[in-house]
Amino acid sequence: MKLKRILAAILGGIMVLSMAACNGSSQNSAAPESTGGTESTPAATESSAEKSNADIRIGVILKTLSSEYWGYVAAGVKQAQKDLGVQVDLEGPPSETSFNEQSNMIETMLSTGKIDALCIAPLQPDMVVTKLQDATIPVLFVDTDANYDKKVTFIGTGNEEAAKKGGEYIAKLIGSGKKAVLIGGVQGDPTNEARMKGYTEALKAGGIEVLDTQYANATADKAVQVMENFMQNFPQIDAVLCNNDDMAIGAQRAAAQAGKADKIKFMGFDGIATACQSIIDGKETASVAQSPYDMGYKAVENAVKAVKGENVEKLIDSGSTIVDASNAKDYLDKLNKMTGK
């Protein structure tokens, strides 16, 4: 009996030690899982809303960087970069017909994974939308809109309405019963087509006959050729309305060489410094001035808001105004101040 009691005591001790060991093992294996969960809860990567401005990088691709107008947009972009303290990658193809170059810029900028948002002025909106289908960052359109279902906003001029202002101005200036021609930029470009439509509707409503529309790829040299063709084909032209100021200046030069400039009114679009000086000099008649500097600034400003998850309006109209001999000097001074001249 004594032996049995000793064996029972030994067995009981072994069981107590075994249970203690099991409990200790259970607690030790659970602790790391719990600690690990607590440490990983505060997001492993910084959320966009928590980013400081210095950590935000905005990609901006314009239609080109080689024209005066787009230089104003770029100036606005650079000023916003400075004011907001963000990083900006600014690019643009050689010309407004460099479609492949812009496409490659989009692909390259998106593939790096370095930018937090993209602002783009599309040369071919449908092509650009195709390039953006897999984009996972905010996308904003500048100057020219596009049918992109994930678009944050469009920042630019209401081109059709702005062109109507220009058409109405010319119609009132030359009077009902007169004749006009139109010089477009790049055929098929939505911005161009909206302007041509606005001009045409306003002219017809004012009793002006629109003789023809031809395209000059947004360049002054091509506009010279187009204007020469117009003067050969039409004995009477009272006004020429153009998609931008470069073409209006080119058309005026062609008419001056033919000795007909003093009989024709020349309407441009954009309100660039060169146009203001041309108006002051009595060459270009007027221009529908956009706010390209503001477009560039607001593009970066609202891209930063989008990255941070803040509310951004779906349409941001940068406005337009008519510049003519009455205000060209003041408007030129304003442009020069914007660009630090």
Side-chain angles (χ1 to χ4, degrees), residues 179-244:
K179 303 177 186 297
V181 292
L182 306 183
I183 302 181
V186 179
Q187 190 169 11
D189 173 70
T191 295
N192 173 82
E193 299 307 323
R195 291 177 188 177
M196 295 299 100
K197 181 179 179 182
Y199 278 152
T200 300
E201 289 182 357
L203 290 171
K204 289 182 177 179
I208 308 300
E209 181 184 355
V210 177
L211 298 171
D212 193 11
T213 299
Q214 292 188 23
Y215 297 86
N217 288 339
T219 65
D221 289 344
K222 182 67 174 176
V224 169
Q225 298 173 19
V226 170
M227 188 62 196
E228 289 172 346
N229 292 337
F230 279 149
M231 290 186 292
Q232 288 178 0
N233 294 332
F234 304 111
Q236 179 186 345
I237 299 174
D238 300 295
V240 183
L241 292 85
C242 301
N243 185 60
N244 68 16

